Amino acid sequence: MTRDTAGRIGEVRENTIATPPDDRSGPHDGPEAAVILNGTKASVDPELRSAIDTLPSQMRRVARYHFGWENPDGTPATGGAGKAIRPALVLTAAESLGGRGARADAVRAAAAVELVHNFTLLHDDVMDRDATRRHRPTAWTVFGDPDAILAGDALQALAMQLLAQDPHPAAPRAAARLAACVVELCEGQHADTAMEDRAPDEVSLDEVFTMAQAKTGALIGCACAVGALYAGAADEDVEALDAFGRAAGLAFQLIDDVIGIWGDPGRTGKPAGADLAARKKSLPVVAALTSGGPEAAELAALYGEPYDQRDLERTVLAIERAGGRDWAQAQAADRMARAMDELARAIPDPEAAGGLLSLAEFVTRRSS
């Protein structure tokens, strides 16, 4: 690993541990990540819109609402779109390994990855009964469960169609990789929902890490690997970028779990305590539950009872006192260090790897 890359790992570790997400005055993604994400949207959004416009009218209406392009009545809307992290990883990985031409070739694949991500969001919101996403009501609360589920199914089909129709020689391998990733995502979501019905003392940290790897790390790793495929990278570099993305994805999930408990709802777009109300066995919660001591026992007692809004503050405090928050931030920094090791293996030149490094830093320094 180069000295420059190691130095930036140190920055990520310090910022992840020392700066709690809800204590920040604003976004810390830095200009490079902002430029990458904005450039990705400019490149990928037309491909997404073109694909979604081929859907039957009701599924198209739900999808356009979910992406933040329209209001429930079909009138144009602004804001509410996602950050485009996953398609940005596809394009940046392609460019890092193959130059600007590879980036241009990978736009359709980047759109396919984003379609799969949004398929999971539509379905997750139904299963988790989440009422808010991106500062607006979720699709199922507006259009009903059947329409939201079918729109999600259609987005997954569109993703595979985009790759099936892509003449690029890497498209068949990318399609196979993305299809395998969808199965892994479903496995992770199944594990997540099944854990909700289990007693607090029946879930181990290893189980939650495995679930998070499947539910979050898999698609981020797949995005990086797909970009490498479109750059014509060697197999070992494709696998190294997949490992980089998976480790960064775990860091992403750890910080997402922290934000879900301690984040500002005004930034997250979700109500405070939503995951705690659903008795989610998130990483900070399970770390706190398995830490031992009176705070862990108090949390187990609270989590063993039906949710009561009056206990929200006690629950949050018990998680923090049992070390869940500090543990999650330290683990996020550790996973980022592992991610940087894999990135340096595939792309030793820190200048060439700079875009991917900026995106990796972004996922652990965000506040929403």
Side-chain angles (χ1 to χ4, degrees):
M1 187 187 306
T2 68
R3 181 175 299 177
D4 288 347
T5 306
R8 291 187 72 176
I9 292 171
E11 287 182 21
V12 175
R13 184 184 297 277
E14 180 180 352
N15 285 316
T16 303
I17 296 173
T19 314
D22 58 338
D23 292 338
R24 298 171 186 152
S25 57
H28 288 254
D29 50 304
E32 189 175 358
V35 168
I36 292 170
L37 293 170
N38 288 334
T40 295
K41 290 180 181 180
S43 298
V44 174
D45 273 9
E47 192 75 48
L48 288 172
R49 289 175 181 267
S50 178
I52 287 170
D53 282 348
T54 67
L55 292 176
S57 59
Q58 184 59 13
M59 283 180 276
R60 181 172 67 245
R61 183 183 174 200
V62 176
R64 291 180 67 85
Y65 171 82
H66 169 75
F67 273 94
W69 302 335
E70 289 183 357
N71 295 312
D73 61 2
T75 57
T78 57
K83 297 179 179 68
I85 292 169
R86 291 156 189 83
L89 287 167
V90 176
L91 298 185
T92 307
E95 184 173 359
S96 296
L97 287 163
R100 298 291 295 178
R103 175 191 172 89
D105 289 343
V107 168
R108 186 175 292 186
V113 168
E114 184 69 348
L115 286 168
V116 164
H117 174 53
N118 281 276
F119 137 70
T120 68
L121 297 183
L122 280 163
H123 283 201
D124 287 2
D125 285 342
V126 173
M127 286 183 276
D128 296 343
R129 311 314 287 171
D130 284 336
T132 307
R133 181 176 292 281
R134 299 168 181 164
H135 305 279
R136 65 200 317 230
T138 46
W140 72 268
T141 67
V142 176
F143 301 100
D145 289 358
D147 281 1
I149 292 168
L150 290 170
D153 292 341
L155 294 188
Q156 183 191 172
L158 278 181
M160 299 308 168
Q161 184 179 55
L162 282 180
L163 291 174
Q165 294 174 346
D166 190 350
H168 194 281
R173 289 181 67 191
R177 197 166 197 118
L178 189 57
C181 180
V182 168
V183 175
E184 192 173 355
L185 291 169
C186 293
E187 181 184 21
Q189 178 64 12
H190 176 268
D192 188 25
T193 54
M195 285 179 189
E196 293 176 30
D197 296 326
R198 292 166 60 186
D201 60 354
E202 293 178 352
V203 178
S204 70
L205 266 179
D206 284 345
E207 284 184 282
V208 185
F209 266 123
T210 300
M211 176 271 292
Q213 178 76 267
K215 187 175 176 181
T216 303
L219 187 55
I220 292 179
C222 182
C224 297
V226 165
L229 287 172
Y230 272 73
D235 288 348
E236 58 266 28
D237 292 335
V238 173
E239 296 308 322
L241 278 191
D242 183 86
F244 157 75
R246 284 175 178 269
L250 271 178
F252 181 102
Q253 187 60 57
L254 283 153
I255 295 303
D256 195 63
D257 288 347
V258 170
I259 291 170
I261 298 171
W262 292 280
D264 178 1
R267 293 184 184 177
T268 65
K270 293 184 178 182
D275 287 351
L276 300 180
R279 294 300 187 244
K280 286 283 186 183
K281 307 301 192 299
S282 67
L283 285 158
V285 167
V286 177
L289 285 167
T290 57
S291 65
E295 294 84 2
E298 179 186 6
L299 178 60
L302 289 166
Y303 244 57
E305 298 293 332
Y307 177 73
D308 188 331
Q309 175 67 30
R310 292 171 296 182
D311 289 331
L312 176 60
E313 187 174 345
R314 285 180 60 204
T315 304
V316 171
L317 191 58
I319 297 168
E320 185 152 12
R321 285 178 173 172
R325 184 178 192 173
D326 289 344
W327 175 89
Q329 290 177 314
Q331 282 290 317
D334 177 71
R335 300 292 165 166
M336 281 302 300
R338 298 186 195 188
M340 295 307 103
D341 287 342
E342 297 293 347
L343 181 59
R345 185 159 65 92
I347 311 174
D349 178 6
E351 185 173 349
L356 288 171
L357 184 53
S358 291
L359 290 171
E361 289 178 325
F362 170 77
V363 303
T364 56
R365 299 175 66 180
R366 64 200 181 92
S367 57
S368 63

